Amino acid sequence: MRSQSLKDKQELQRYQYDMHLALESENLKLQQLLSEISALKEERKIRSGNLQKRLLNNIIF
């Protein structure tokens, strides 16, 4: 009985550790995606600013 209980506890600990690793992996993927989104937003902001400058230049000249 104790042997089975110990095996069950060890199996549960392994499962919890595996889930912890899986969550860490998913968290890293999400952080990477957020970083890429931020970079794309910044690029869009820069392009939008450049477009506004070109439009203003066309209106002024």
Side-chain angles (χ1 to χ4, degrees), residues 15-31:
Y15 175 79
Q16 288 173 328
Y17 184 70
D18 288 347
M19 288 297 104
H20 171 75
L21 292 179
L23 287 172
E24 282 292 318
S25 176
E26 291 303 310
N27 188 33
L28 289 173
K29 290 177 190 175
L30 289 172
Q31 287 178 357

Side-chain angles (χ1 to χ4, degrees), residues 4-39:
Q4 185 61 39
S5 177
L6 181 59
K7 286 181 184 178
D8 289 346
K9 185 175 180 179
Q10 289 172 337
E11 187 176 326
L12 177 60
Q13 287 174 334
R14 277 194 297 273
Y15 175 79
Q16 288 173 328
Y17 184 70
D18 288 347
M19 288 297 104
H20 171 75
L21 292 179
L23 287 172
E24 282 292 318
S25 176
E26 291 303 310
N27 188 33
L28 289 173
K29 290 177 190 175
L30 289 172
Q31 287 178 357
Q32 179 64 32
L33 286 172
L34 286 173
S35 178
E36 290 175 21
I37 289 169
S38 294

Side-chain angles (χ1 to χ4, degrees), residues 34-48:
L34 286 173
S35 178
E36 290 175 21
I37 289 169
S38 294
L40 288 171
K41 283 182 175 180
E42 190 62 31
E43 182 180 332
R44 185 176 65 186
K45 190 188 311 180
I46 291 168
R47 287 184 181 187
S48 175

